[in-house]
Amino acid sequence: MKTALTIAGTDPSGGAGIQADIKTMTANGVYAMSAVTALVAQNTTGVKSIMEVTPEFLAEQLDCVFTDIMPDAVKTGMVSSVPLIQVIARKLKEYRVEKLVVDPVMVATSGDRLISEEAVDALKAELLPLATVLTPNIPEAEVLSGMTIHGPEDMERAARSISERYGCAVLCKGGHDLNDANDLLWRSGEAKWFYGRRIDNPNTHGTGCTLSSAIASNLAKGYDLDTSVERAKTYLSGALASMLDLGQGKGPLDHLFNLEGEFVK
Ligand SMILES: Nc1ncnc2c1ncn2[C@@H]1O[C@H](COP(=O)(O)OP(=O)(O)OP(=O)(O)O)[C@@H](O)[C@H]1O
Ligand SMILES: Cc1ncc(CO)c(N)n1
């Protein structure tokens, strides 16, 4: 069985972060592993508080995984401080991780900030150059490119600039910000659009975590980047279209919408 690792924060309400990543990887047929960067007290209505792990403890978690079950692909999500980013970058290099999806998480769907100002600079300097693909939403792409984005052409310009600066592919997600479901992948010097069917569902907590984990799962299984993005979008659309409705804010997706078998009944 192929394996994938998420390095991210938690969501006790189960819709985003590590919890969303594990469900997504499982639903996409890979063995899921997780290293926690921070315990986050949050739910569908917002973030109450954040308790970061120490850099030493994160390093130990990563050593435990990498020396035992080497993942076929890795995804990073919420990493809120400079020392944690430095540890991740060091370990990814030490263990020569090749397939890396970096979701540059900055703000939760609820609007709460999940990264410090200084950590954005560390993310740019240390993690982005190691990525196979980055998956910013529009506000994140604006921060990383220093450009403002009003439409599809701006998405192409920003993604191209980020890609050229950091030497990785960039998937700029249209998502809830441009009110469509079209994402732009900039790779190998050219653009490819992935046109999604917009689903009329306000419950979008964790869509970004879910998409990046699904891409990592497909890379782990050996699909190329374009195919991995295509398959991940199809999976995400299914999880949204299942119309799960839980919680009092923007609710979670139905990650296991495709699960069948005797134990499900
Ligand atoms: N209503 C929708 N219908 C279909 N696809 C959607 C919808 N909303 C978002 N998506 C898709 O979900 C994926 C995640 O994009 P989005 O822009 O929502 O990410 P995000 O802002 O990082 O998410 P998060 O809320 O987890 O931070 C993209 O592929 C996007 O096109
Ligand atoms: C831990 C975590 N990572 C990412 C997001 C973004 O949705 C969130 N809400 N929580």
Side-chain angles (χ1 to χ4, degrees):
M1 190 174 200
K2 297 295 184 184
T3 60
L5 168 69
T6 169
I7 307 172
T10 64
D11 174 8
S13 68
I18 290 272
Q19 284 81 354
D21 297 340
I22 292 174
K23 292 178 206 178
T24 300
M25 290 169 177
T26 304
N28 282 272
V30 300
Y31 178 79
M33 301 182 281
S34 53
V36 177
T37 58
L39 301 172
V40 184
Q42 64 169 316
N43 60 23
T44 62
T45 67
V47 175
K48 308 286 174 262
S49 61
I50 298 174
M51 184 192 266
E52 268 185 17
V53 303
T54 62
E56 296 74 26
F57 187 68
L58 180 58
E60 282 179 2
Q61 291 182 74
L62 294 175
D63 284 333
C64 282
V65 176
F66 288 134
T67 58
D68 191 19
I69 306 174
M70 187 63 198
D72 293 297
V74 176
K75 167 245 156 109
T76 65
M78 173 189 169
V79 197
S80 44
S81 71
V82 176
L84 293 178
I85 290 169
Q86 289 170 337
V87 162
I88 295 170
R90 195 175 79 232
K91 292 295 171 189
L92 292 173
K93 283 189 257 184
E94 183 180 334
Y95 293 100
R96 296 192 170 78
V97 168
E98 282 176 9
K99 295 177 183 176
L100 174 67
V101 181
V102 173
D103 186 10
V105 173
M106 296 184 190
V107 177
T109 313
S110 54
D112 296 281
R113 214 185 151 90
L114 296 172
I115 188 169
S116 69
E117 288 285 354
E118 317 82 73
V120 174
D121 289 335
L123 195 74
K124 289 180 185 169
E126 309 246 4
L127 223 42
L128 304 201
L130 303 179
T132 308
V133 62
L134 278 186
T135 60
N137 59 20
I138 302 270
E140 290 157 355
E142 289 183 327
V143 170
L144 296 176
S145 66
M147 301 174 177
T148 46
I149 300 176
H150 297 295
E153 285 174 9
D154 292 341
M155 283 169 75
E156 288 196 16
R157 267 196 290 274
R160 177 184 189 159
S161 141
I162 299 167
S163 173
E164 286 172 355
R165 199 172 314 161
Y166 300 105
C168 57
V170 177
L171 181 70
C172 184
K173 300 170 292 188
H176 26 259
D177 296 293
L178 287 187
N179 228 22
D180 62 26
N182 302 332
D183 305 337
L184 178 268
L185 179 66
W186 188 276
R187 81 285 182 253
S188 317
E190 44 182 79
K192 175 168 172 137
W193 280 93
F194 293 85
Y195 297 98
R197 174 172 61 96
R198 179 150 190 94
I199 297 152
D200 191 15
N201 183 351
N203 296 315
T204 54
H205 181 64
T207 45
C209 306
T210 302
L211 185 75
S212 54
S213 292
I215 294 171
S217 304
N218 283 296
L219 290 174
K221 288 187 282 186
Y223 291 105
D224 64 26
L225 181 58
D226 287 14
T227 310
S228 295
V229 172
E230 185 78 56
R231 288 173 62 94
K233 261 189 93 61
T234 305
Y235 167 72
L236 181 93
S237 301
L240 250 183
S242 176
M243 301 307 275
L244 184 64
D245 189 13
L246 295 174
Q248 295 172 29
K250 288 187 174 216
L253 309 178
D254 185 1
H255 288 103
L256 301 183
F257 70 98
N258 216 13
L259 193 66
E260 291 167 8
E262 61 178 310
F263 300 114
V264 179
K265 294 183 196 115

